[in-house]
C-alpha cells in the first residue's frame, strides 16, 4: 500500500456528524439559556418546573429514538447520550428526567412491547407524558430480583399489590413500567413487567424523598393496593421481566455514565472560568502551576470518562457487545464526577463552598452516580463476571 493511499478506518469517537453537532448545540443552548437560570431555585424547592418539562417535549427530548411513525424523533441511542451529557453540564436533575424516559422506559417499550402497546403509549411519550421505571423496593435494591410486589391473575386482568421505592420521575409521571412477581416461588422466573397508567384504580404515588443531590428530580414511593392492570399491559412474556430489567439497565448505565461525564465537564468549566478571573498575589490563580496541574488532571479524567461513555454508546448502536463497557463507563464516570466536582469546589476556594456558585450543587449531585442503576460494587461484580465468565 502506498503511503499516500488512505485506509478506511473508523472515525474518532468524539467526531460527531453534522446532524449530531446541530442536535448537541441546540440542547446545549437550551440547557444554558432556559434551564441555567432556574437551577438554583429548583434545587432549593426540590421541584422541577413543569414548563421546562413541557419544553423537553417540544424539543423532542422525551422520545429521541422513538420512530417518527409513533410520534418520536426517529433518532438513535447515541443522541440520547449527547442530550443527557449536555443537560447534566448545567443540571444533572434535568439530565436524569430525560435519561429515564429515553434509556429505560422508551427503550423497553420499543424492544419488548406489542404493536398495540406501542400505538397506545409511544405517541404520548413524545407529546406530554413523563415515564418512570419501577424496579426497586425497600427490601430489594442491589438484589433487585428479590422483589416482593405481587401480581395475581384475575380474568382479563392482574391485580398487583406492593410498594416500590426510589422511583425517579414518579411525581410527574403518567406511565410506569413496573416489575412484579406472578409467582414468588419461581424466584426471578416469576418477574413480569407491566405498563401502569397513573389513573389505574389501586395505584398511588406516595412519599417524595428529600435528598442530598439531584433534588429537583423527584424520587417517590409507589403504592399498589389491589391495582387492576389489564393483561394487555403485560410487557414481553409473563415470567420474562427479569430479562427486560437486566437488558434495559445495561443500556441505562451508559445514560448515567453520560450524566456523570457531563456533570464533571460542567464542574471543570466553572473551575476554568473562575481560575481565569480570580486574582491572588497580584496574579490570576490560573497562573499558578499548582492550580494548572489540578485543572489539567481534571481535564484528563473528564476526557477519559467521555470516551468510555461514547464508546459504550457507539458499541450499543452498532449492535456489538457492550455490557462490560457500559458497567465500566458508569463506574468510572461516577468516580470522575465526584472527584472533579470536589476539586472544582477547591479551585473556587470559599465561594465554591457556597450556594452562590454552582459547583457546590454539582458536588452534591455527583454522589448519586455511584448509587443508582447499580452501585459501584454492583458494577464491579458485573465487570468481573464478564471477564471471568462469558461476555454477552
Ligand atoms: C435518587 C435515587 C433515584 C433512584 N431511581 C430509581 C428508579 O427510577 N427506579 C428504580 O427501580 N430504582 C431507583 N433507585 C434505586 C437504586 O437503584 C438503589 O438504591 C440501588 O440499586 C441500591 O440499592 P439499595 O439502596 O437497596 O442499597 P443496597 O442494595 O442495600 O446496598 C447497600 C450497600 O451494600 C453494597 N452491596 C449490596 N450487595 C452487594 C454485593 N453483592 N457485593 C458487594 N456489595 C454489595 C452496595 O454496593 C451498597 O454499598 C433510585 C435510588 C435513588 C437514591
Amino acid at each position: 500500500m502506498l503511503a499516500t493511499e488512505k485506509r478506511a478506518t473508523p472515525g474518532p469517537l468524539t467526531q460527531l456528524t453534522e446532524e449530531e453537532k446541530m442536535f448537541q448545540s441546540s440542547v446545549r443552548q437550551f440547557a444554558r439559556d432556559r434551564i441555567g437560570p432556574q437551577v438554583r431555585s429548583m434545587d432549593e424547592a426540590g421541584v422541577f418546573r413543569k414548563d421546562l418539562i413541557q419544553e423537553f417535549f417540544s424539543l423532542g427530548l422525551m422520545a429521541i429514538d422513538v420512530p417518527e411513525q409513533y410520534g418520536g424523533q426517529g433518532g438513535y441511542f447515541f443522541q440520547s447520550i449527547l442530550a443527557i451529557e449536555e443537560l447534566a453540564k448545567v443540571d444533572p436533575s434535568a439530565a436524569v428526567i430525560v435519561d429515564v424516559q429515553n434509556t429505560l422506559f422508551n427503550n423497553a417499550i420499543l424492544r419488548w412491547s406489542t404493536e398495540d402497546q406501542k400505538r397506545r403509549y409511544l405517541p404520548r411519550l413524545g407529546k406530554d407524558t413523563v415515564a418512570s421505571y419501577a424496579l426497586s423496593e425497600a427490601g430489594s435494591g442491589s438484589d433487585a430480583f428479590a422483589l416482593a410486589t405481587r401480581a395475581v391473575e384475575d380474568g382479563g386482568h392482574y391485580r398487583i399489590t406492593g410498594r416500590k421505592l426510589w422511583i425517579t420521575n414518579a411525581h410527574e409521571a403518567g406511565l410506569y413500567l413496573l416489575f412484579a412477581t406472578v409467582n414468588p416461588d419461581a424466584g426471578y422466573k416469576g418477574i413480569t413487567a407491566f405498563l401502569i397508567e397513573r389513573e389505574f384504580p389501586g395505584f398511588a404515588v406516595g412519599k417524595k424523598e428529600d435528598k442530598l443531590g439531584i433534588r429537583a428530580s423527584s424520587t417517590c414511593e409507589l403504592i399498589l393496593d389491589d391495582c387492576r392492570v389489564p393483561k394487555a399491559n403485560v410487557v414481553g412474556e409473563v415470567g420474562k421481566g427479569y430479562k427486560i430489567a437486566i437488558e434495559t439497565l445495561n443500556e441505562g448505565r451508559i445514560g448515567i455514565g453520560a450524566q456523570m461525564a457531563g456533570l464533571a465537564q460542567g464542574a471543570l468549566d466553572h473551575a476554568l472560568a473562575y481560575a481565569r478571573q480570580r486574582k491572588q498575589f497580584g496574579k490570576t490563580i490560573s497562573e499558578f502551576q499548582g492550580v494548572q496541574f489540578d485543572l489539567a488532571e481534571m481535564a484528563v479524567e473528564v476526557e477519559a470518562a467521555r470516551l468510555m461513555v461514547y464508546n459504550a454508546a457507539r458499541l450499543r448502536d452498532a449492535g456489538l457487545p457492550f455490557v462490560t463497557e457500559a458497567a465500566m463507563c458508569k463506574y468510572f464516570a461516577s468516580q470522575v464526577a465526584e472527584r472533579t466536582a470536589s476539586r472544582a469546589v477547591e479551585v473556587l476556594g470559599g465561594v465554591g463552598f457556597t450556594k452562590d456558585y454552582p459547583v457546590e450543587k454539582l458536588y452534591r449531585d455527583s454522589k448519586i452516580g455511584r448509587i443508582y442503576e447499580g452501585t459501584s460494587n454492583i458494577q464491579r461484580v458485573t465487570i468481573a463476571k464478564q471477564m471471568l465468565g462469558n461476555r454477552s
Side-chain angles (χ1 to χ4, degrees):
M1 186 171 168
L2 296 174
T4 48
E5 281 179 42
K6 274 197 175 164
R7 280 178 198 274
T9 52
L13 270 179
T14 49
Q15 186 179 341
L16 304 182
T17 64
E18 283 312 309
E19 193 192 351
E20 286 167 352
K21 277 187 210 160
M22 273 168 53
F23 177 71
Q24 183 190 49
S25 118
S26 68
V27 181
R28 186 174 292 171
Q29 192 179 346
F30 165 69
R32 190 189 55 212
D33 299 348
R34 299 284 307 136
I35 302 177
Q38 311 295 341
V39 173
R40 184 171 170 187
S41 61
M42 292 195 297
D43 181 63
E44 277 169 5
V47 177
F48 204 88
R49 287 176 67 118
K50 277 194 183 139
D51 57 335
L52 289 178
I53 293 181
Q54 199 43 55
E55 289 190 54
F56 290 163
F57 285 106
S58 315
L59 285 169
L61 296 179
M62 296 300 261
I64 295 171
D65 56 1
V66 172
E68 287 170 26
Q69 68 185 104
Y70 300 113
Q73 298 301 303
Y76 44 98
F77 187 76
F78 183 70
Q79 288 179 325
S80 299
I81 294 306
L82 285 178
I84 294 161
E85 182 192 10
E86 287 308 317
L87 294 170
K89 287 178 186 172
V90 174
D91 186 10
S93 288
V96 77
I97 295 172
V98 168
D99 170 75
V100 168
Q101 182 100 358
N102 286 281
T103 74
L104 293 181
F105 191 94
N106 297 354
N107 190 8
I109 302 308
L110 283 169
R111 285 184 60 190
W112 280 283
S113 66
T114 60
E115 186 54 34
D116 164 62
Q117 289 167 347
K118 285 181 186 154
R119 281 182 207 280
R120 278 192 287 142
Y121 292 114
L122 285 175
R124 293 173 56 182
L125 293 157
K127 190 168 163 246
D128 55 12
T129 304
V130 176
S132 283
Y133 181 91
L135 178 64
S136 304
E137 298 179 5
S140 69
S142 298
D143 187 9
F145 297 151
L147 58 82
T149 296
R150 182 79 205 270
V152 179
E153 210 175 339
D154 179 15
H157 288 78
Y158 278 92
R159 292 182 176 274
I160 305 184
T161 299
R163 298 276 185 280
K164 291 287 172 185
L165 205 61
W166 312 118
I167 307 308
T168 299
N169 289 351
H171 180 70
E172 298 81 8
L175 278 173
Y176 303 80
L177 182 68
L178 185 136
F179 297 86
T181 180
V182 294
N183 180 4
D185 297 334
Y188 72 93
K189 287 186 178 165
I191 294 171
T192 305
F194 298 89
L195 264 170
I196 298 194
E197 297 183 25
R198 192 179 186 120
E199 296 73 27
F200 281 177
F203 178 84
V205 177
K207 180 185 164 237
K208 189 170 150 195
E209 305 296 338
D210 188 3
K211 310 192 296 293
L212 169 75
I214 57 163
R215 290 176 48 77
S217 152
S218 67
T219 312
C220 310
E221 183 189 22
L222 302 181
I223 301 160
L224 296 105
D225 195 0
D226 213 18
C227 172
R228 267 166 66 86
V229 181
K231 280 188 172 168
N233 278 27
V234 170
V235 179
E237 288 174 52
V238 173
K240 292 277 174 66
Y242 67 93
K243 193 170 158 57
I244 299 178
I246 290 173
E247 294 195 12
T248 41
L249 283 171
N250 281 334
E251 293 170 329
R253 282 167 188 168
I254 310 175
I256 301 305
Q259 182 198 27
M260 291 294 124
L263 184 161
Q265 182 67 58
L268 173 58
D269 291 345
H270 289 299
L272 280 169
Y274 188 81
R276 283 198 184 100
Q277 55 87 17
R278 170 69 174 169
K279 285 196 170 152
Q280 287 293 279
F281 301 97
K283 295 174 177 177
T284 62
I285 60 167
S286 62
E287 291 175 74
F288 300 121
Q289 198 178 51
V291 175
Q292 289 172 1
F293 280 8
D294 248 349
L295 294 171
E297 262 184 48
M298 289 154 85
V300 170
E301 290 208 324
V302 175
E303 176 76 358
R306 182 184 302 111
L307 291 175
M308 288 175 78
V309 170
Y310 281 18
N311 190 46
R314 300 266 200 215
L315 286 171
R316 189 271 186 196
D317 276 340
L320 294 165
F322 65 89
V323 172
T324 306
E325 290 78 2
M328 284 178 170
C329 83
K330 193 239 183 209
Y331 174 75
F332 185 68
S334 57
Q335 286 188 343
V336 168
E338 205 179 320
R339 277 199 292 269
T340 310
S342 171
R343 291 172 101 154
V345 169
E346 290 169 38
V347 170
L348 268 72
V351 297
F353 201 65
T354 70
K355 290 190 185 292
D356 293 338
Y357 285 78
V359 288
E360 163 273 342
K361 173 183 177 293
L362 291 175
Y363 183 45
R364 285 188 283 110
D365 287 351
S366 70
K367 196 71 218 177
I368 192 59
R370 294 173 73 129
I371 298 171
Y372 58 14
E373 296 200 28
T375 64
S376 285
N377 275 357
I378 296 304
Q379 305 309 320
R380 285 190 276 225
V381 168
T382 302
I383 296 162
K385 247 192 214 162
Q386 293 284 314
M387 281 193 304
L388 299 168
N390 287 333
R391 284 173 68 94
S392 60

